[in-house]
Amino acid sequence: MIVSTRTVLFASVLTVAAFGSGLSGALAGEVAPAIGPLGAGPAFSTSAVQPWMSPEIGDAWRQGYKGSGVTITVIDDFKSGNFYYGNLGAGTQARRHGEWTTLEASMIAPSATMRTQDFSSGQTVRLNRGMNVLNLSYGMYAAAGYSANQIGWSAQESSIISYAKNGQAVIAKAAGNDRVAVGAANAAGQVDYLNAALIGAPTAIFVGALDRNGTPEQKAALAYYSNFAGDNVAVQNKFLTVGVRGDVTGLYGTSFAAPVIAGYAAVLGSKFTKATPTQITNQLLTSARTDTIQGYSASIHGRGEASISRALAPKVIQ
Amino acid sequence: MKFLILLLAGMCVSSLSAGSAIGGPVTDVLEATYLVGIKEGSSLSDIAYEASTRTYELRDGTVLDLEKWYGRKTVDMRFDFMTQTSERTGILWGFSTGERGKKYKIEPALRIGLIGLLQPMPASTLSFSITTTFAGRLRERSCTATYFDDGEAEPVNCRLAATVIEPAETLRYLWNVRPPDHTRLGFRYLLQF
């Protein structure tokens, strides 16, 4: 039997609630009406370290390498009439979900080549020359009880899963906002089978959200909405967390955690031009820090909080 | 600690002015040679010292203190002399001992030059000097770094290994610096009233 799924974005409803729309529900399709022309807000420098970013990224930029030579492809909603209010540093704007995640990743890696593909296209995701990073801030839901290979994947998801399993691109996958372990059923009995299909893939990273960018002095906690790693060691080993400052940007959800990892992967790719996607993925995972997380536990936080500074540093030097 | 016994130009003017006590051709080089300056450290030495104060984290968070590579084992010492050749001319010469740390060295240097003195008016003097320095470069050795668990060790600039610069590219920034005063032209006018 082939099981069909429905696509769910991983932006929290607080995105809307924070701006007083009063709407509720977990799907982007249920939220805010379209307003104003896109991109009508003031222009701003994509090279400025914003309050929502980890300060480490500014250190990483100082030498002028910001993701050049790397392509980030964002598969997301670029066509719907659903807009989110948010502020990544240029004042409050309304953008589609995919436009926010694309902007966010491009602000972390300003020199990366950005590509977009609407997640309803069903078309194979094409890779560019050089290092490729895919950002997936959505899930593919169906009732629990199936295996991932029973799902009737479109060419789009089939290509993504293939790239992850064959180590052809770094995949930054938002963990989800159901407060369950990656791969587990949510309260409605639904499973994100895209998560399930990516478990164990060499270049897939599940990205959870912390409530802040942690420091040893001011530790971060897992955001209340974020999915967590769970007891599956295969997930724990591929699970990272980053701070999502919804209190600053108005954008909550693991949707806005994955683009940070996509950007970090691009920055790493611009330094390690000969590295494979698997090496970049592992560098991000092995350099994660746990001393910035309150009550760190592998079953919750996986490898810990991503650290771009440490990921850029050598393992051994003499 | 840094100290400077005498300012080179000023002392040379004084020495040449005192030349009247010698008079005639210089027959005894030792008698006509003056120590005009001793200095500990140099601008190149300062560059290395600044690097020695830095730290960065390795991938696992271990703090790497660059003092172990850029701390001085010996300190660059500079000695300057003037050998008077006539009442109003002299040869400037000197040397530096060089300096060494684990990952850098400042080569010993030799300096040579000329100094002359004019007296345009009874109460004024004009001195001019030119010196050039041979050797004395600051050079740096590379480190060997491994970034990936399955990666090979590769040469990198020790100071820049944790930056976003591509490892091979960091080697372009290894120090290979001439002394900033490798050629020096000086004029000094003194008016007494």
Side-chain angles (χ1 to χ4, degrees):
Chain A
M1 182 179 71
I2 301 298
V3 179
S4 62
T5 60
R6 66 190 177 95
T7 308
V8 174
L9 295 165
F10 288 147
S12 164
V13 293
L14 282 182
T15 301
V16 176
F19 291 94
S21 77
L23 296 173
S24 62
L27 302 180
E30 299 173 5
V31 299
I35 61 159
L38 289 176
F44 62 99
S45 167
T46 55
S47 294
V49 177
Q50 300 293 333
W52 54 268
M53 297 178 181
S54 165
E56 288 186 359
I57 196 65
D59 298 332
W61 288 346
R62 286 206 183 105
Q63 306 294 333
Y65 289 69
K66 303 172 181 177
S68 58
V70 180
T71 302
I72 301 176
T73 302
V74 179
I75 299 97
D76 210 311
D77 170 26
F78 296 98
K79 289 184 176 173
S80 81
N82 304 312
F83 288 75
Y84 291 79
Y85 291 98
N87 180 359
L88 291 181
T92 300
Q93 298 175 328
R95 293 175 180 264
R96 292 183 180 90
H97 188 275
E99 291 159 350
W100 279 122
T101 54
T102 303
L103 175 61
E104 188 183 6
S106 72
M107 291 176 73
I108 297 291
S111 300
T113 300
M114 301 301 299
R115 282 181 166 184
T116 60
Q117 179 165 323
D118 190 82
F119 61 8
S120 64
S121 77
Q123 300 295 309
T124 297
V125 177
R126 303 287 178 197
L127 297 183
N128 208 350
R129 294 179 67 178
M131 177 68 67
N132 283 271
V133 181
L134 307 186
N135 187 84
L136 314 178
S137 291
Y138 68 97
M140 303 289 286
Y141 279 77
Y146 302 101
S147 67
N149 56 19
Q150 288 180 285
I151 303 298
W153 298 115
S154 70
Q156 180 174 269
E157 276 71 36
S158 292
S159 63
I160 292 168
I161 294 164
S162 170
Y163 297 148
K165 289 187 173 175
N166 296 322
Q168 292 170 272
V170 179
I171 314 292
K173 171 69 173 73
N177 300 336
D178 296 318
R179 288 173 276 179
V180 299
V182 168
N186 64 15
Q190 299 278 305
V191 169
D192 177 359
Y193 282 98
L194 188 52
N195 270 354
L198 292 171
I199 292 173
T203 56
I205 301 173
F206 302 106
V207 191
L210 299 172
D211 61 357
R212 64 166 70 209
N213 295 300
T215 66
E217 296 76 31
Q218 286 194 302
K219 297 181 191 295
L222 194 74
Y224 67 89
Y225 51 79
S226 179
N227 282 2
F228 48 89
D231 296 330
N232 185 340
V233 175
V235 175
Q236 292 177 4
N237 288 339
K238 293 294 172 67
F239 192 97
L240 281 179
T241 57
V242 299
V244 174
R245 294 291 307 276
D247 56 325
V248 172
T249 65
L251 299 168
Y252 290 85
T254 56
S255 280
F256 307 105
V260 175
I261 292 299
Y264 285 179
V267 170
L268 282 183
S270 69
K271 170 168 180 168
F272 302 113
T273 56
K274 293 173 184 166
T276 65
T278 304
Q279 286 178 315
I280 296 294
T281 301
N282 290 338
Q283 192 75 353
L284 281 166
L285 291 163
T286 53
S287 60
R289 55 194 302 173
T290 58
D291 61 337
T292 57
I293 295 177
Q294 191 175 3
Y296 165 76
S297 163
S299 62
I300 298 172
H301 310 98
R303 303 298 284 263
E305 182 174 8
S307 167
I308 187 64
S309 297
R310 291 186 178 181
L312 289 164
K315 176 187 175 192
V316 179
I317 186 169
Q318 55 191 10
Chain B
M1 182 185 72
K2 292 180 180 177
F3 60 92
L4 185 65
I5 291 180
L6 298 166
L7 285 172
L8 179 65
M11 186 56 191
C12 290
V13 169
S14 303
S15 299
L16 289 172
S17 300
S20 57
I22 297 175
V26 177
T27 54
D28 188 333
V29 172
L30 284 179
E31 269 190 21
T33 297
Y34 302 84
L35 174 66
V36 294
I38 300 177
K39 187 181 179 187
E40 184 187 52
S42 64
S43 58
L44 295 183
S45 184
D46 290 345
I47 291 173
Y49 174 75
E50 196 277 329
S52 76
T53 63
R54 294 194 219 160
T55 62
Y56 61 78
E57 287 185 345
L58 298 180
R59 194 180 76 179
D60 66 357
T62 305
V63 176
L64 180 69
D65 188 344
L66 295 189
E67 204 279 335
K68 71 175 183 177
W69 290 332
Y70 296 95
R72 301 164 173 163
K73 290 180 180 172
T74 58
V75 181
D76 197 16
M77 292 291 297
R78 172 176 172 157
F79 299 90
D80 288 300
F81 299 91
M82 190 215 45
T83 299
Q84 190 164 359
T85 52
S86 73
E87 188 175 341
R88 297 194 182 279
T89 61
I91 296 172
L92 297 172
W93 60 280
F95 61 91
S96 301
T97 59
E99 183 174 308
R100 187 176 288 270
K102 193 168 182 182
K103 291 293 183 185
Y104 79 98
K105 70 174 179 181
I106 300 171
E107 300 166 336
L110 187 64
R111 268 180 303 284
I112 191 154
L114 299 170
I115 186 167
L117 184 67
L118 297 174
Q119 195 161 21
M121 293 184 293
S124 68
T125 54
L126 174 66
S127 67
F128 57 93
S129 64
I130 183 168
T131 57
T132 189
T133 303
F134 299 96
R137 278 182 178 267
L138 166 63
R139 297 183 194 272
E140 185 179 17
R141 293 177 58 199
S142 61
C143 285
T144 303
T146 304
Y147 287 92
F148 303 108
D149 289 337
D150 59 348
E152 294 180 355
E154 55 186 317
V156 293
N157 184 318
C158 313
R159 294 173 291 115
L160 303 177
T163 68
V164 292
I165 301 176
E166 191 176 354
E169 175 83 2
T170 64
L171 298 175
R172 287 182 53 197
Y173 301 98
L174 288 172
W175 292 327
N176 184 5
V177 187
R178 286 201 302 187
D181 57 347
H182 57 90
T183 300
R184 188 170 179 173
L185 189 62
F187 293 93
R188 179 186 167 95
Y189 180 71
L190 181 65
L191 176 63
Q192 292 178 313
F193 56 90

